[in-house]
Structures are given as structure tokens and as C-alpha cells.
Amino acid sequence: MAFDVERVRAEYPALDEGFVHFDGAAGTLVAEPVARAVASVLRGAVANRTTAFAPGRRALRILADARAAVADLVGADPDGVVFGPSATALTYTVARSLARTWRPGDNVVVSRLDHDANVRPWVQLAGQHGVQVRWAEFDPQTGALPIGQYGELVDDRTRLVAVTAASNAIGTRPDVAAVAATAHAAGALVYVDGVHATPHLPTDVTALGADFYVTSAYKWSGPHIAACAAAPQLWAGTATDKLLPSPDEAPERFELGTPSFEQLAGVTAAVEFLATLDDTAPGTRRERVTASLAAAHRYDTRLFQTLLEGLRSTPGVRILPAPEGGAPTVSFRVAGQHPAETSAALGEKGICVFAGDYYAYEYFQTMGLRDSGGAVRASVYHYTTDDDVTRLLEAVAAQA
Ligand SMILES: Cc1ncc(COP(=O)(O)O)c(C=O)c1O
């Protein structure tokens, strides 16, 4: 069988604790091979980077392997993969670096569908450089991000368009390739937040038209570390703040301080693991990870449909609208109940769902729901089962 959920679940020792996890959008459980890889670096002789002795060469190998792994995961060039502590930190680094060349009269385009990590760094850097901020609006009735508006938002003074590959609140997957085509025609760069998209679908940064693509490993069974992929020549042509003696070359120039070798080893193990989700998939690691994520997506989609239908038929539940075909994440509210109350009541039953705005700040502001507690979010991942969905629906029905 291409995707065998019981085989996959056996690789997540944390599932033995018995919680029901619909909180993958905030961070997934870690796969056992990842934990082993992290521990083996911490237990073994791994020094700081040097070619002089073997433990130092191991560190160099770990970093190179992790770049290659992320490159296979998202279809990028390994020499253009930069690591950092989080997607937020990496986006600030890129924003500060790119903004050095922005001039008053330039503009940047951000979207109200995005997580604040792909909004505020651009807004704040724009403010510091006298650059105008233009807002792409989502449709509150459908949750879609209409692409037509980019024709009006983007002009020859647009330096950057920031857009999400999937909303972490409602799963919407905007037509990033179309946004990128509009941006590129005007000479603007495109920064894509792939944090919520990467775990759920195969990614091809070239097909997306992403100049920069950021993703966090803790959303795809890995450790708490993030990567930003771009063409090596784009990094090479971008100046950044750095220490005098630290490497001048890209991508190292953008990685401040000593990297976390244990987490980098975990990144490689996570990609290797994802490539086995479909254990019949042949070919290179890139081909296997692509086929595996496609198989996991088919599995998730079926479960997510069951979840949506169940929520729709539960009286008192209001689902925040989202277009078909998004990431398997839904936000909802139970009538007369603060989202935090719903989340806590489900938590009492061992069911993990987040409540709040999950940093999708502009989305919840626009929906007029931020001040009243946002919503409750349930996200399906490839270790979710039919039984988990039934338990969640029963628990929500008991609250409604
Ligand atoms: C869509 C999206 N973008 C960005 C982030 C921020 O990621 P990080 O925690 O790695 O900074 C998150 C985290 O939840 C997210 O869901």
C-alpha cells in the first residue's frame, strides 16, 4: 500500500501518549528518525566547522547534507538554502537585507491573508525606508485571495511582493505563480511563506515563481529550525549585516553565528523520513519525497473532507469560509463560546486544538473576530486517523 497510516504512526513515539493531535499547524510531532539523528549529534564527536580534524569535518557534512535535504524537499538549489532559528527570524534577516536598496517612492505589497511573519517585517522595514505598503485583500465571504488585484497593486516601483503559499488560519492556497508572474513582469521580487504549505503538498519553488521560499522544519516532523531557499546568485548579490571575520560567501553570510548542528541533522532525517511516507515510491530523494507528500495529501484530503462535513452538520458551529483545495486546516467557532473555552474543553479530553489568531493578525482583524478571541483551529496531518476525526467531532458536538 502506498500510504499506510499505521506504519507511519509507528514512527511517532509521542503518539503513544494518547493525545489526539489537530495542532499540526502550530507544530507537528517529531518522527523517531529525527529524534535519533538529533541525539546522535549531541552524543557524538561533532565539533565546530573545520577541515582540520574529523569531528569538524562532520559538522561541515551535516550542514551540507541539510542544505541538500531542504533543496530536495522544495525543489531548490542546495547552495541557495539558508538556515535560521525560525521563519520569522529569517524573514526579518531577508527584509533588513533587501531594504538596504529600497528608496522613498518604492513600494512593497503584502497580503491580509498572511501570517504576521510575512507581513510585519516588510511593513516595519518599509516604514524605516520611506517605502509605501500596499495591501492585497482576501474576500471575507470566500476566504480566497483574488489575484486580479495584483495587476493594480504592482507597478514599476514595487520592490517586493510577499504572499503565503497557504493560510495557516483557513488553508487557502493562493495562486502564487500568478502573483509571481505579475510581480516579475514589473521587476519585483517575490517572497513566499511556505511554512503552512510545505507539510501538506509537494513543493516546487520554481513552479511557484518564488524568489525566496521560507519553511520551518517543526511543521513537517522535524526540529525547531527554519530554512529560506533562493537562487545562489540572489543571495550573492544581497548585502547583509554580519560580523567582520564571519564568512563573506553566501549562503553562509546570512547564517549568523554557529549553526545548530543537531537540528540540522534532524532536518536531513526529517526529509529522509518524509520521502518514505509512500514506501513504494521509486527514484531520487526528490522524486520520492514528492511522491510521498502527494500520497499523504490524498490521505489528508479524504480525512479533512470528513472533518469538514461533520463540522458543517454540527448545529451551532460556524466555519470560517475557505476555498476548496487548500491545506487541510479549518477554523471555526462554537456559538456562544469563547474560542479559548472550546480549546480548553477539548484539551480536557486530550484533544489538541489551538484557539486565538495564531498570528494571522490581519486575517482576524479583517474578519472582525480578533478582539473576541479569533477562532478554534483544527489541522489534519498524515498521522491523523478516522478515529481522531470522530473523537474531535463528538467533542465539538458536546460543546455546541
Ligand atoms: C504560515 C506561517 N508562517 C510563518 C510562521 C512563523 O514560523 P516560525 O515559528 O518558524 O517563525 C508560522 C508559524 O506558525 C506559520 O504558520
Side-chain angles (χ1 to χ4, degrees):
M1 190 195 284
F3 183 86
D4 174 354
V5 69
E6 288 311 324
R7 175 180 60 80
V8 169
R9 282 173 65 86
E11 296 285 358
Y12 289 88
L15 287 171
D16 294 346
E17 295 188 38
F19 296 105
V20 175
H21 286 279
F22 284 95
D23 58 334
T28 61
L29 300 175
V30 170
E32 173 61 13
V34 175
R36 271 202 306 270
V38 171
S40 81
V41 172
L42 293 172
R43 291 202 183 105
V46 177
N48 211 332
R49 286 166 290 178
T50 178
T51 52
F53 45 85
R57 289 193 291 274
R58 280 184 199 160
L60 288 166
R61 185 75 261 150
I62 288 168
L63 183 53
D65 286 350
R67 291 199 211 285
V70 170
D72 279 352
L73 180 63
V74 304
D77 184 330
D79 293 334
V81 174
V82 168
F83 288 102
S86 65
T88 305
L90 280 168
T91 305
Y92 267 113
T93 297
V94 175
R96 287 192 196 104
S97 307
L98 294 180
R100 289 164 160 243
T101 67
W102 295 351
R103 298 287 170 261
D106 289 346
N107 65 74
V108 296
V109 180
V110 293
S111 104
R112 291 200 207 275
L113 189 65
D114 271 77
H115 186 287
D116 216 49
N118 199 26
V119 175
R120 219 52 56 191
W122 308 112
V123 170
Q124 289 166 353
L125 268 297
Q128 290 161 26
H129 289 77
V131 165
Q132 187 194 14
V133 177
R134 299 180 176 177
W135 293 91
E137 307 287 347
F138 66 90
D139 180 345
Q141 306 299 322
T142 64
L145 187 69
I147 297 312
Q149 62 187 316
Y150 282 89
E152 274 142 45
L153 291 168
V154 172
D155 62 22
D156 61 358
R157 295 300 302 271
T158 305
R159 305 300 306 275
L160 182 115
V161 177
V163 67
T164 189
S167 155
N168 68 318
I170 54 171
T172 304
R173 294 174 56 226
D175 187 349
V176 172
V179 174
T182 306
H184 289 154
L189 291 170
V190 178
Y191 191 96
V192 177
D193 178 349
V195 175
H196 192 62
T198 318
H200 297 295
L201 273 176
T203 299
D204 180 344
V205 291
T206 310
L208 284 174
D211 295 298
F212 295 91
Y213 183 90
V214 72
T215 183
S216 287
Y218 74 95
K219 310 283 191 178
W220 33 267
S221 310
H224 290 89
I225 184 171
C228 184
Q233 54 283 17
L234 183 53
W235 291 118
T238 304
T240 197
D241 287 330
K242 61 170 281 294
L243 304 183
L244 274 184
S246 69
D248 273 325
E249 315 80 57
E252 288 83 358
R253 180 163 80 230
F254 293 87
E255 292 167 340
L256 305 176
T258 304
S260 166
F261 301 114
E262 61 273 22
Q263 296 190 57
L264 291 167
V267 164
T268 306
V271 174
E272 297 277 0
F273 169 72
L274 293 176
T276 67
L277 289 176
D278 174 353
D279 59 355
T280 64
T284 62
R285 184 172 60 189
R286 168 77 184 145
E287 288 164 343
R288 288 182 290 111
V289 79
T290 302
S292 286
L293 286 172
H297 174 65
R298 286 190 291 277
Y299 173 79
D300 293 351
T301 303
R302 183 188 63 75
L303 274 185
F304 188 58
Q305 279 315 319
T306 311
L307 173 60
L308 276 185
E309 281 157 26
L311 288 174
R312 275 189 202 123
S313 60
T314 307
V317 170
R318 170 189 169 200
I319 297 179
L320 302 189
E324 293 284 308
T329 296
V330 58
S331 279
F332 62 94
R333 287 178 76 129
V334 174
Q337 201 165 80
H338 193 284
E341 263 180 78
T342 313
S343 162
L346 269 53
E348 284 296 308
K349 296 180 175 171
I351 300 172
C352 307
V353 290
F354 268 83
D357 67 8
Y358 356 107
Y359 287 18
Y361 180 93
E362 296 290 340
Y363 171 80
F364 279 102
Q365 283 287 93
T366 306
M367 294 299 285
L369 295 173
R370 230 193 125 256
D371 293 342
S372 59
V376 182
R377 176 177 66 182
S379 193
V380 166
Y381 193 51
H382 56 237
Y383 47 59
T384 311
T385 61
D386 285 294
D387 187 48
D388 291 341
V389 172
T390 305
R391 279 182 65 182
L392 175 60
L393 288 172
E394 283 173 1
V396 172
Q399 290 303 116

